[in-house]
Amino acid sequence: MQNVMITGIAGGFGKPTALALLEKGYQVAGCVRGREGKNAETVGMLEAAGAQIVEMDVTDTASTERGIAEAIKHLGGLDVLFNNAGIGSYGIQELMSPEDMARVFDVNVMGVQRVMRAALPHMRAQGRGTVLYTSSLIGRIATPFYGTYSASKWALEAIVECYRTELSGFGIESCIIEPGAMPTAFFDGMVAPTEPEREVEYGEFAAVPAMSAAGLAQMLDATPDQRPERIAEAVVALLEKPFGHKPFRTVVDHTGVGPQIEHYNDVLHDVTRNIMTGFGIEDMLRLNA
């Protein structure tokens, strides 16, 4: 059975995915920034279920390199890498300081790059591998108050488009998972702007983000199928598909938005293939359905 490494394994998507894969017989390792505090209970439960846990901070290059090497050692190899670690942000875009934005990008974009640079030499050497990425529906469209987060996921999508083509010749397939909003602790740790002096200049509009967030919470309460276990199901389904025939993008959403994003993805898929064909390099798309 395959060896899987999951970044952000203690998070809202990482934990159910790890448990689902362990139940299917996969060997699973995952990273957390620290074993203690809020992660202690989850780490204990995952280890009891059979997961190998390493401490790793994706915002630190040395930590990432050590963590990936330790995970590969524990697993005895690496067949599947799930880039799942992420951080959210929410608030009026002007109020996001450059430092706020950098913090989000450091995890969601540069963090993925650090992980890839640590793991890819191993995958290229073995000549085969599967890399999954957690993106978002708002990594395809932008909605108010999520500008910084959306920008980070848009950037992730662009990077993965390049990895998809550049790694195909080395036998490494790429798959993006695009969830809609789901009720996880992700919302509790979002980066929010803290500039009250500038916020007051927005007048009554400054209250709109909180109202919008409350509306989203109500919508999620009314949509019980919109839950993190759906991501675990999507990952298991992807890994059960034949190598080289997995879809590049998988939308996971039960709010009604998903089909519209799927249509957008289908159009982009055709545009991308037509452009690559025009350049005579369509073979670089060979590892995805």
Side-chain angles (χ1 to χ4, degrees):
M1 186 54 74
Q2 292 182 309
N3 300 312
V4 183
M5 168 64 179
I6 303 173
T7 66
I9 195 170
F13 296 154
K15 174 181 163 184
T17 299
L19 293 174
L21 290 174
L22 287 165
E23 187 176 342
K24 289 285 186 177
Y26 289 84
Q27 300 296 312
V28 177
C31 74
V32 294
R33 291 185 66 181
R35 292 172 168 273
E36 305 305 321
K38 66 178 183 178
N39 291 328
E41 182 178 351
T42 299
V43 166
M45 186 245 288
L46 288 170
E47 287 183 326
Q52 299 286 338
I53 305 297
V54 301
E55 289 189 334
M56 186 177 98
D57 181 354
V58 300
T59 68
D60 181 281
T61 299
S63 174
T64 301
E65 291 174 348
R66 285 194 304 269
I68 293 296
E70 186 178 346
I72 291 174
K73 181 179 178 180
H74 282 314
L75 293 170
L78 181 63
D79 303 303
V80 179
L81 171 63
F82 184 16
N83 281 295
N84 173 65
I87 188 172
S89 64
Y90 188 74
I92 295 172
Q93 186 59 37
E94 183 190 344
L95 306 186
M96 290 285 178
S97 69
E99 292 75 20
D100 292 332
M101 295 186 71
R103 182 181 168 197
V104 175
F105 271 72
D106 201 18
V107 176
N108 295 355
V109 184
M110 279 75 84
V112 170
Q113 181 70 352
R114 292 183 185 96
V115 171
M116 294 295 283
R117 283 169 57 85
L120 282 178
H122 176 86
M123 285 187 159
R124 281 189 284 103
Q126 68 188 15
R128 182 158 171 154
T130 300
V131 186
L132 312 179
Y133 305 80
T134 298
S135 181
S136 172
L137 292 192
I138 54 174
R140 313 300 286 139
I141 57 171
T143 57
F145 316 125
Y146 289 99
T148 293
Y149 178 70
S150 286
S152 73
K153 291 302 186 180
W154 283 35
L156 173 67
E157 295 260 354
I159 289 170
V160 181
E161 287 273 8
C162 291
Y163 270 132
R164 172 195 188 185
T165 53
E166 295 169 3
L167 295 176
S168 63
F170 296 93
I172 300 172
E173 60 183 1
S174 305
C175 300
I176 301 175
I177 298 171
E178 296 171 342
M182 294 193 181
T184 71
F186 171 83
F187 287 100
D188 299 331
M190 289 204 292
V191 174
T194 55
E195 289 201 12
E197 300 85 0
R198 192 178 290 253
E199 183 178 34
V200 74
E201 298 174 9
Y202 272 80
E204 294 181 357
F205 187 78
V208 175
M211 295 167 56
S212 179
L216 174 61
Q218 291 176 355
M219 182 271 288
L220 292 176
D221 286 342
T223 315
D225 281 342
Q226 192 77 350
R227 51 192 175 85
E229 288 77 13
R230 296 302 189 198
I231 302 302
E233 293 166 4
V235 170
V236 169
L238 277 171
L239 295 184
E240 289 179 345
K241 291 182 182 295
F243 182 82
H245 295 278
K246 298 176 178 63
F248 180 47
R249 288 185 169 93
T250 298
V251 170
V252 183
D253 180 71
H254 296 269
T255 67
V257 178
Q260 299 176 69
I261 300 300
E262 288 174 335
H263 173 68
Y264 173 56
N265 287 343
D266 289 343
V267 172
L268 179 61
H269 174 89
D270 291 341
V271 170
T272 299
R273 185 165 293 279
N274 289 340
I275 290 174
M276 299 281 279
T277 300
F279 287 144
I281 54 174
E282 69 274 14
D283 190 50
M284 295 175 77
L285 298 172
R286 63 183 174 275
L287 287 186
N288 286 103

